[in-house]
Amino acid sequence: MTLDSLQPTTFKPSGKGLMNHKLTKWLMGLLILSSLTGGGYLVYRQTVISSAQEARSKMQTVPVQRETLPITISANGIIEAKQSTNVSPKSSGRLKSLLVDEGDSVKAGQILAYMDDSNLQGQLIQARGSLAAAQANLQKAIAGNRPQDIAQAQAQLEEAQANLQKGIVGNRPQDIAQAQARLKSAQATLAKAEDDFQRNQQLYNAGAISLQTVNQKRADRDSAQAAVNEAQQALALQKAGSRTEDIEQLKAVVEQRQQALALLKAGNRQEDIDSARAQVVQQQGSLKTIQTQIQDMVIRAPFSGIVTSKYSDPGDFVTPTTSGSSVSGSTSSSILSLASNYQVVANVAETDISKIKVGQPVTITADAYPDKTFQGKVAQVAAQATVTSNVTSLKVRVDLTDPETLLLPSMNVDAKFNAGNLNNVLVVPTVAIAREENGTGVRVLTETGRTRFVPIQTGLTVGNKTQVRSGLQGNEKVLVSAPRGFNRGSNRGGRSGGMGGGYGGMGGRRGGF
């Protein structure tokens, strides 16, 4: 029998066979549904649950640790000069020359400028001459009188004594005889003149001569008579001797010459020497004053520092003041300003001022030198607070160590005060701290591999770590990051699912410490 010869046979079940056929279809459908359900479960298990386990394996947790945290207080500050002054002359005058410019570094005692001192040079010469004269007078007073002066006074005394002796003794006989001889000569001349006059008178009476000749002879006779009278008086004086008044006068002259000689021999009095010495001191003071004024015309740096500003140019008139002025005018009140020993003046919040102590180390940074750090020490804490924009702060001065003098006045800096350490404290990464309905806390990894939220009380934040004051024992592991979409909660996935924002927000808030 071949296949082609086979004819299809139509099956016509009976009523009981039809019922069995429907039951078979229902069982087959149920079997297919069960297969599909089981397969879906297997797919779910392989995808969702496996993915969750893989995500847990990728969670980042860190153990809670005990560490020592340095306590630092940050504050903004500005560079100011601890020592600054405006350099001016001691007396008003005209600036002759200026040897430095803005930005120059100078040493203490270095010459900065010269003032015009021409009007003082004449006074200097005069003061030197006056001092020389005073010194000569002092030397003369100390040395006493010369021997020649004493000898001269001695001679004058002897002459006065001789005159006195002559006055007391009277005239010598020879002087009297001489006076008598002069009287006799005068009398003889008078007799001759009288004879000539008588003879000529007779001739005149006889008309032999003129009246003029008679008058001439009369005059000769009268002159001879006067000479006789004078000779008689001289002879009388010679015979009478010196008067008492003349003798007393001669005695006074002798005594005067004796006193003069005694003074010359005794030399100058001590008072005169002291007076001469005082004159020397006075002239020395006058000379020193002029010399000091000339020295003050040389302007020197009072201390080592940097020339921060220039107020005058050569030819400007400057005065002895400390206020600054512009160099654009014809007169200026100062020459230049000098600053040294720079300090950091930081404004520290009143809540942190109790942690600031004199001598405390400070680390300083400046935007101008981002790759450099500078060191300093607290030098002074202000005794009075200041309020600016309703913020209370106190000024803290910090001595700066800057050998290269890189930081200049008015530069802005950041100061970090090293206020000590927190020893052996619990710390967690700052990014692990989150804020939920229960407060601020961290997510701790449980033994089942899930996380639970633990509220904590935080303390100081240093860098990327924060102190935990309470809430943790120290043996936990805290969650710092998890894969996106991971269920951080144990049973309340909806609320826990919002932790991502909480973590990111806490990390951003703490990042400013």
Side-chain angles (χ1 to χ4, degrees):
M1 183 177 60
T2 62
L3 291 176
D4 293 336
S5 62
L6 293 177
Q7 298 293 327
T9 302
T10 303
F11 179 71
K12 295 181 179 180
S14 61
K16 185 177 180 179
L18 182 58
M19 182 179 297
N20 292 333
H21 179 70
K22 292 181 178 180
L23 179 60
T24 301
K25 287 185 177 181
W26 183 83
L27 290 175
M28 290 180 65
L30 180 60
L31 180 60
I32 293 172
L33 179 60
S34 299
S35 299
L36 292 175
T37 303
Y41 175 74
L42 291 175
V43 171
Y44 168 77
R45 187 174 181 84
Q46 292 296 326
T47 57
V48 178
I49 297 180
S50 297
S51 297
Q53 291 177 347
E54 183 180 359
R56 285 194 183 93
S57 65
K58 293 182 179 179
M59 285 191 305
Q60 294 184 9
T61 60
V62 295
V64 178
Q65 297 177 347
R66 286 190 176 274
E67 294 184 5
T68 297
L69 295 180
I71 303 175
T72 59
I73 299 172
S74 298
N76 296 326
I78 191 170
I79 301 296
E80 290 185 2
K82 182 179 179 181
Q83 187 177 15
S84 63
T85 186
N86 282 1
V87 179
S88 302
K90 289 186 178 180
S91 58
S92 301
R94 196 164 298 280
L95 182 61
K96 183 178 181 180
S97 61
L98 184 61
L99 308 182
V100 294
D101 205 345
E102 291 185 8
D104 290 349
S105 297
V106 298
K107 298 295 183 181
Q110 179 178 335
I111 297 176
L112 305 179
Y114 289 98
M115 300 291 294
D116 185 8
D117 63 351
S118 56
N119 60 329
L120 296 175
Q121 293 299 327
Q123 299 180 29
L124 176 64
I125 296 173
Q126 182 179 359
R128 286 175 175 169
S130 299
L131 176 60
Q135 289 174 335
N137 290 333
L138 174 61
Q139 189 63 31
K140 178 181 177 181
I142 294 174
N145 297 300
R146 296 175 298 176
Q148 296 86 341
D149 296 332
I150 296 176
Q152 183 180 6
Q154 182 69 40
Q156 291 174 350
L157 173 61
E158 292 175 354
E159 180 183 3
Q161 289 173 338
N163 291 332
L164 175 61
Q165 186 65 26
K166 178 180 178 181
I168 294 174
V169 172
N171 295 308
R172 295 173 298 177
Q174 296 86 341
D175 294 331
I176 296 175
Q178 185 178 9
Q180 290 175 342
R182 283 198 293 270
L183 175 60
K184 289 179 179 181
S185 175
Q187 289 173 342
T189 301
L190 174 61
K192 180 178 180 299
E194 180 66 27
D195 182 66
D196 289 341
F197 172 69
Q198 292 299 329
R199 188 174 55 255
N200 282 279
Q201 179 69 38
Q202 293 174 358
L203 292 173
Y204 171 74
N205 292 333
I209 59 174
S210 64
L211 180 60
Q212 181 178 3
T213 302
V214 175
N215 290 339
Q216 180 64 41
K217 294 300 181 179
R218 183 183 293 112
D220 292 342
R221 184 198 62 180
D222 293 340
S223 177
Q225 183 63 51
V228 169
N229 294 337
E230 181 180 0
Q232 288 175 341
Q233 294 294 331
L235 177 60
L237 287 174
Q238 290 290 337
K239 290 180 178 181
S242 299
R243 294 182 303 173
T244 304
E245 296 83 354
D246 295 337
I247 294 174
E248 293 298 328
Q249 183 178 4
L250 291 173
K251 287 181 178 180
V253 172
V254 169
E255 185 165 350
Q256 180 182 4
R257 299 292 171 83
Q258 286 175 340
Q259 294 295 334
L261 178 61
L263 287 174
L264 288 175
K265 288 182 177 181
N268 294 305
R269 293 184 301 173
Q270 186 61 40
E271 294 83 354
D272 296 335
I273 296 175
D274 293 340
S275 177
R277 184 175 286 111
Q279 289 294 325
V280 171
V281 174
Q282 181 179 0
Q283 295 303 324
Q284 286 176 338
S286 299
L287 176 61
K288 185 65 177 179
T289 300
I290 299 300
Q291 290 174 336
T292 301
Q293 291 177 351
I294 293 177
Q295 291 176 358
D296 290 341
M297 296 295 101
V298 180
I299 309 301
R300 299 179 181 272
F303 52 82
S304 299
I306 295 177
V307 178
T308 56
S309 297
K310 184 183 72 170
Y311 300 131
S312 303
D313 286 322
D316 289 344
F317 190 84
V318 292
T319 56
T321 61
T322 58
S323 60
S325 62
S326 173
V327 298
S328 59
S330 59
T331 62
S332 301
S333 58
S334 296
I335 299 176
L336 52 85
S337 62
L338 189 64
S340 181
N341 297 331
Y342 295 144
Q343 282 186 329
V344 174
V345 179
N347 294 316
V348 178
E350 61 176 338
T351 55
D352 296 326
I353 201 64
S354 61
K355 304 181 183 67
I356 305 299
K357 307 295 180 185
V358 174
Q360 201 170 64
V362 183
T363 301
I364 301 154
T365 58
D367 292 339
Y369 304 99
D371 299 331
K372 287 183 174 290
T373 58
F374 305 87
Q375 303 301 319
K377 288 185 178 181
V378 176
Q380 182 186 21
V381 179
Q384 183 177 356
T386 58
V387 180
T388 304
S389 301
N390 295 326
V391 177
T392 303
S393 61
L394 288 92
K395 291 187 181 297
V396 177
R397 294 185 176 274
V398 178
D399 286 339
L400 181 64
T401 301
D402 183 14
E404 300 180 26
T405 316
L406 299 177
L407 300 179
L408 301 177
S410 300
M411 277 189 175
N412 294 314
V413 296
D414 295 324
K416 290 187 177 180
F417 299 84
N418 302 324
N421 296 316
L422 287 177
N423 297 318
N424 195 28
V425 294
L426 290 177
V427 295
V428 296
T430 304
V431 296
I433 301 173
R435 182 164 297 169
E436 294 191 1
E437 295 178 3
N438 295 338
T440 300
V442 294
R443 289 228 157 243
V444 176
L445 187 65
T446 64
E447 296 179 355
T448 61
R450 311 190 72 165
T451 62
R452 64 184 178 89
F453 183 78
V454 178
I456 63 172
Q457 183 180 0
T458 60
L460 184 67
T461 298
V462 178
N464 59 354
K465 295 183 179 181
T466 300
Q467 175 193 4
V468 178
R469 292 183 176 178
S470 63
L472 298 178
Q473 301 299 320
N475 56 355
E476 299 90 347
K477 290 185 177 181
V478 296
L479 182 66
V480 294
S481 67
R484 185 178 183 86
F486 175 67
N487 183 3
R488 300 175 186 266
S490 57
N491 294 321
R492 292 181 288 183
R495 187 185 68 177
S496 301
M499 283 291 293
Y503 274 70
M506 181 61 67
R509 183 177 65 85
R510 295 284 180 173
F513 286 87

